[in-house]
Amino acid sequence: MEFASEKTHESLSKIARNDGHGEDSPYFDGWKAYDQNPFHPTQNPDGVIQMGLAENQLCFDLIEEWIKNNPTASICTSDGVGKFKDVAIFQDYHGLLEFRQAVAKFMGRVRRGKSTFDPNHIVMSGGATGASETLIFCLADPGDAFLVPSPYYPAFDRDLRWRTGVRIIPVDCDSSNNFQVTLAQIESAYTKAKEANINVKGVILTNPSNPLGITLSRETLTSLLSFTSEKNLHMVCDEIYSASVFNSPAFTSISEVMQETECNPNLVHIIYSLSKDMGLPGFRVGIIYSYNDQVVQCARKMSSFGLVSSQSQHLLASMLSDEVFIEKFLEESPRRLAKRHGHFVKGLKQANIHCLEGNAGLFLWMDLRHLMKVPTLDAEMKLWRVIIEDVKLNVSPGSSFHCPEPGFFRVCFANMDDHTVEVALKRIREFVSKRSENADDKKLLKKKHWRNTNLRLSFTSSKCDESLMSPHQRMSPHSPVPHSPLVRART
């Protein structure tokens, strides 16, 4: 017996039926293209290179070396199996105390000791995705809204909106000031939302920015924090790239600004993760740090739906507590990021491609506006399709980040080895060169065509000129030759 697909679809919940996850966006489409035809240097050298994944694979050797030298940190080794039972049995959703202590200490070290963090205010969750959603559940009701400077991380639409029913109001930033958000922009967005009877609950910042790869200045953070506190709005700062700053200016955390600004600490919350700074997304370690006791208590209850495994907590507690290792890692990781970033920027410049001057993160904000015929979303999509299907590079179009200006693309540079980087840069250079040659050929053809047309028209004109016509061929100025090439050319 067959059932109509529509009926089957209707039997599902609204969440199951809707497209709030955003999986059909170009951001995720690029991943699908890679999954269907992944690049491999020998087995599939013509495959798609994954440049849409913000992942730091540049320091795996340091972590692997530490694991080899610290076998007792894992319950899966003969040296560490003695802790197996303690870790394997039920753990309270507060998390292992040693894990929360280690994370708090690590967060303080990343901020150069300018901020300290209380382990009792740390709530763990299944990655930054789970942490973000849990925090929004605690702060807002369905229909409430948060102001988010754009361009912003595409999966925010999933993480913050899909299941919570909360709204995101993009605050458009543009290239006129290198996409820096201003207090005036936030104030304007807030006023418009209030006029539309939208209940704004807060502002969400990503610092350092994904996809821009830049840090927010202390002055900007101070002005925005003062504004949110004055309006009784929550300030949520996603700081998951805080240890991935590799050039000046240095990272400034909202936790530092709080100490210098008159504000309500109960309205300030930080999202953190070990996915980016430590390159450990598979461990699914997300952190909520809130200065609000009620938010901490509520988030702890909700965290039971997405806990970090005790095995991961046990291992990471030991790793993050190793001060010698952490000091070495926090020095070496930015150095390697800076080197890779510089190499990639140089390679792009050789192809006459420029990027926003970045100092943080695992990606570049690449400007390809000069490769588009017209500055439209359709033109951006056409260019992106060519890059995905012909150049075989999964880069993410700016529109998927809600960028108001067409022609910008995010390209990730830290999730591949040196050989793959060179292959990617070669493909880009060849693509731009070929595109330029085609454009020049078209201009040349157009120019030649124009010259030929002029010659033809000039010749035709001389044939029709009265001075060259026989008396029998002369006609009234009001009676041109109806079938002359010149007349046809003008019609």
Side-chain angles (χ1 to χ4, degrees):
M1 182 177 180
E2 294 186 2
F3 294 94
S5 58
E6 292 81 2
K7 293 294 184 181
T8 303
H9 184 73
E10 290 175 1
S11 70
L12 302 177
S13 70
K14 290 182 179 180
I15 287 182
R17 297 199 308 268
N18 71 32
D19 58 358
H21 183 279
E23 193 174 19
D24 57 349
S25 74
Y27 176 72
F28 289 108
D29 279 348
W31 285 30
K32 295 170 188 174
Y34 167 77
D35 289 339
Q36 293 169 5
N37 183 27
F39 169 83
H40 188 277
T42 56
Q43 298 177 17
N44 191 23
D46 296 323
V48 176
I49 295 178
Q50 173 63 289
M51 306 184 80
L53 178 61
E55 192 170 72
N56 187 357
Q57 298 186 18
L58 302 183
C59 289
F60 276 167
D61 60 314
L62 300 181
I63 295 177
E64 290 170 352
E65 180 184 12
W66 184 89
I67 291 174
K68 291 177 182 177
N69 294 334
N70 295 270
T72 57
S74 173
I75 60 173
C76 298
T77 65
S78 56
D79 297 285
V81 72
K83 283 283 186 178
F84 176 82
K85 180 180 178 181
D86 293 337
V87 174
I89 59 177
F90 172 78
Q91 303 294 336
D92 187 81
Y93 49 62
H94 286 66
L96 299 177
L97 177 59
E98 58 267 31
F99 172 72
R100 288 186 284 117
Q101 290 174 333
V103 169
K105 191 173 183 179
F106 178 73
M107 291 175 65
R109 183 182 287 269
V110 168
R111 289 154 184 78
R112 306 176 303 284
K114 295 182 179 182
S115 301
T116 57
F117 296 90
D118 182 352
N120 293 320
H121 279 254
I122 284 180
V123 181
M124 61 179 182
S125 185
T129 293
S132 299
E133 185 187 58
T134 297
L135 181 59
I136 296 302
F137 268 127
C138 294
L139 302 182
D141 294 312
D144 291 342
F146 285 85
L147 306 179
V148 183
S150 69
Y152 62 77
Y153 175 49
F156 270 174
D157 293 319
R158 171 199 67 195
D159 300 353
L160 308 179
R161 296 175 53 245
W162 185 33
R163 301 196 298 184
T164 65
V166 163
R167 302 173 62 175
I168 290 179
I169 299 178
V171 180
D172 289 342
C173 305
D174 56 55
S175 60
S176 62
N177 69 337
N178 293 325
F179 296 96
Q180 295 278 0
V181 64
T182 65
L183 174 59
Q185 290 170 324
I186 294 291
E187 288 177 330
S188 176
Y190 175 76
T191 300
K192 290 177 181 178
K194 298 297 287 184
E195 290 173 350
N197 293 320
I198 298 173
N199 185 32
V200 178
K201 291 302 295 280
V203 174
I204 299 176
L205 303 176
T206 304
N207 183 33
S209 168
N210 175 13
L212 301 176
I214 59 175
T215 49
L216 292 175
S217 68
R218 184 181 297 273
E219 293 73 22
T220 298
L221 289 169
T222 299
S223 64
L224 297 184
L225 180 59
S226 295
F227 170 78
T228 54
S229 190
E230 175 190 338
K231 299 297 184 181
N232 199 37
L233 302 176
H234 292 283
M235 168 63 78
V236 178
C237 281
D238 182 331
E239 298 185 347
I240 67 173
Y241 292 98
S242 54
S244 299
V245 178
F246 48 81
N247 280 328
S248 59
F251 170 69
T252 300
S253 171
I254 196 68
S255 60
E256 299 174 42
V257 177
M258 285 178 61
Q259 302 171 36
E260 309 162 355
T261 308
E262 186 175 345
C263 66
N264 181 355
N266 286 320
L267 296 173
V268 181
H269 324 275
I270 296 173
I271 298 293
Y272 190 57
S273 168
L274 298 181
S275 298
K276 308 303 181 181
D277 288 344
M278 297 294 292
L280 301 173
F283 278 61
R284 307 308 303 149
V285 176
I287 299 296
I288 298 170
Y289 190 89
S290 178
Y291 293 87
N292 187 318
D293 289 333
Q294 289 183 314
V295 170
V296 170
Q297 293 170 11
C298 179
R300 283 242 169 90
K301 297 173 186 176
M302 290 189 174
S303 70
S304 59
F305 293 100
L307 296 174
V308 180
S309 77
S310 298
Q311 180 179 340
S312 295
Q313 292 183 59
H314 176 70
L315 174 68
L316 293 172
S318 180
M319 181 186 296
L320 297 178
S321 299
D322 188 331
E323 295 188 8
V324 174
F325 167 75
I326 291 301
E327 182 177 359
K328 178 182 178 181
F329 187 92
L330 292 179
E331 288 179 359
E332 186 64 14
S333 180
R335 188 190 70 80
R336 295 185 185 185
L337 285 172
K339 181 179 179 182
R340 174 62 65 81
H341 177 272
H343 180 70
F344 216 96
V345 168
K346 182 179 179 181
L348 291 176
K349 283 184 178 179
Q350 292 173 351
N352 197 31
I353 294 176
H354 299 281
C355 303
L356 184 68
E357 186 174 347
N359 67 315
L362 313 174
F363 28 71
L364 298 163
W365 192 236
M366 186 169 63
D367 185 355
L368 298 185
R369 288 177 293 177
H370 63 291
L371 298 181
M372 302 192 319
K373 294 180 180 179
V374 290
T376 64
L377 175 59
D378 286 343
E380 179 182 279
M381 287 294 96
K382 288 179 181 177
L383 178 58
W384 174 68
R385 287 291 177 189
V386 171
I387 296 173
I388 286 281
E389 296 170 6
D390 298 343
V391 190
K392 302 290 179 63
L393 298 177
N394 174 30
V395 299
S396 304
S399 55
S400 63
F401 296 87
H402 300 271
C403 181
E405 290 183 63
F408 290 90
F409 293 76
R410 191 193 73 169
V411 52
C412 300
F413 60 79
N415 64 332
M416 63 193 81
D417 57 25
D418 291 340
H419 170 74
T420 306
V421 167
E422 297 309 318
V423 175
L425 288 173
K426 181 181 178 182
R427 290 184 185 182
I428 293 172
R429 286 192 291 265
E430 290 177 349
F431 165 64
V432 174
S433 176
K434 185 177 180 180
R435 202 171 179 90
S436 299
E437 288 174 3
N438 289 341
D440 290 341
D441 288 345
K442 288 179 181 178
K443 289 179 182 178
L444 184 61
L445 286 172
K446 187 176 182 181
K447 192 173 183 181
K448 287 181 177 179
H449 175 68
W450 175 244
R451 286 174 177 170
N452 290 338
T453 300
N454 283 342
L455 288 171
R456 188 181 81 249
L457 294 180
S458 176
F459 177 70
T460 305
S461 299
S462 66
K463 286 180 66 176
C464 297
D465 194 290
E466 284 191 353
S467 65
L468 296 177
M469 294 177 70
S470 67
H472 302 288
Q473 291 175 313
R474 290 175 186 172
M475 296 185 178
S476 163
H478 303 290
S479 306
V481 178
H483 300 298
S484 76
L486 182 57
V487 173
R488 291 201 301 270
R490 288 174 175 170
T491 58

